[in-house]
Amino acid sequence: MRLVLVGPPGAGKGTQAQFLAAHYSIPHISTGDIFRANLKAGTPLGVQAQSFMDRGELVADSVTNEMVKDRLTHDDVAHGFLLDGFPRNVAQAEVLRAILAEKKTPLHAVLEFSLANEEIVARLSSRRTCKDCFQPCVGVDKCPQCGGDVYQREDDKAEVIARRLEVYQEQTSPIISFYRTEGLLISVGALGSVEDITAHAISALSRVSE
Ligand code: AMP
């Protein structure tokens, strides 16, 4: 299964991605997590991405596209993948389509998680993130997944949340009509329990032929 998850920040893409990737036994590829891992390791890519991330802006397409292109050459994507946080604008969606067309492995579906703005702001301001595995964590001091310490992402602070929502509306939301036109879009409401949302997503995806 080759999947893309789309949705505003805080819609629960990261959480759902963990469950869906496990269900389909495919790697979860989060561009945000790759940038954060590079930042933590102090690589040139991480240093380059940091100022954009801290301000809630998108990292340059040239940098992001190359990073994804490289990731999609790894052996673990042979049986599919789940992209979370990429593409984030129509130009990236076109690059992804070209990369996959060249490999003759087009996407099977794009899952859109939708959520009202007030709910997004409430969720993001209470969200904490694991320092080690970057799992989103709420109301806990240690990551339930790996036991790592949790912290508040610079871009989950109130001032940056507003900008991230604008960037989503202006730059990312146009990819929804792009994928609707391609016949790939499946919309799932992102309000409800994590388990229910995963079950809806899996049920909707069961109608997609691999
Ligand atoms: P996320 O963890 O998906 O919310 O991403 C955190 C930040 O990483 C974003 O606000 C951007 O600064 C950067 N980022 C992640 N994915 C992309 C992308 N596809 N294009 C450009 N920047 C990205």
Side-chain angles (χ1 to χ4, degrees):
M1 178 72 82
R2 291 181 292 275
L3 277 180
V4 162
L5 300 194
V6 188
K13 294 188 302 297
T15 305
Q16 290 300 325
Q18 304 276 347
F19 290 107
L20 294 172
H23 180 83
Y24 294 107
S25 304
I26 49 177
H28 167 205
I29 303 176
S30 155
T31 41
D33 285 356
I34 301 176
F35 283 132
R36 279 183 286 280
N38 275 277
L39 197 60
K40 193 174 169 197
T43 70
L45 176 64
V47 172
Q48 202 176 3
Q50 178 165 27
S51 68
F52 294 96
M53 295 176 77
D54 285 353
R55 285 180 289 124
E57 302 291 340
L58 297 187
V59 178
D61 283 354
S62 53
V63 173
T64 311
N65 291 339
E66 272 314 302
M67 185 175 90
V68 171
K69 195 169 180 184
D70 174 71
R71 180 64 185 83
L72 292 176
T73 62
H74 295 195
D75 291 344
D76 65 349
V77 302
H79 301 293
F81 55 79
L82 187 161
L83 275 171
D84 160 17
F86 184 93
R88 253 182 161 96
N89 59 32
V90 171
Q92 292 183 3
E94 283 169 346
V95 166
L96 178 64
R97 183 171 58 185
I99 296 172
L100 297 179
E102 199 178 324
K103 291 151 65 92
K104 298 192 171 45
T105 55
L107 291 174
H108 293 108
V110 174
L111 267 187
E112 178 208 0
F113 292 100
S114 51
L115 197 66
N117 270 10
E118 309 78 70
E119 178 67 20
I120 293 171
V121 174
R123 283 192 190 184
L124 288 181
S125 20
S126 61
R127 177 168 79 173
R128 298 295 178 269
T129 300
C130 175
K131 279 188 174 154
D132 295 329
C133 74
F134 310 116
Q135 166 87 359
C137 303
V138 178
V140 288
D141 294 333
K142 296 278 179 196
C143 172
Q145 184 110 327
C146 75
D149 289 332
V150 303
Y151 76 114
Q152 182 173 39
R153 278 169 47 174
E154 210 43 55
D155 58 350
D156 280 345
K157 298 192 171 151
E159 340 46 286
V160 189
I161 292 175
R163 180 61 193 146
R164 289 169 70 203
L165 287 175
E166 271 172 18
V167 168
Y168 181 78
Q169 280 312 326
E170 290 164 9
Q171 302 183 46
T172 307
S173 67
I175 70 174
I176 291 171
S177 29
F178 175 93
Y179 283 126
R180 188 178 293 119
T181 307
E182 299 248 303
L184 290 170
L185 193 75
I186 297 175
S187 297
V188 179
L191 207 55
S193 74
V194 170
E195 296 76 16
D196 283 351
I197 297 166
T198 312
H200 284 150
I202 290 172
S203 149
L205 286 170
S206 67
R207 294 188 280 279
V208 169
S209 49
E210 280 188 59

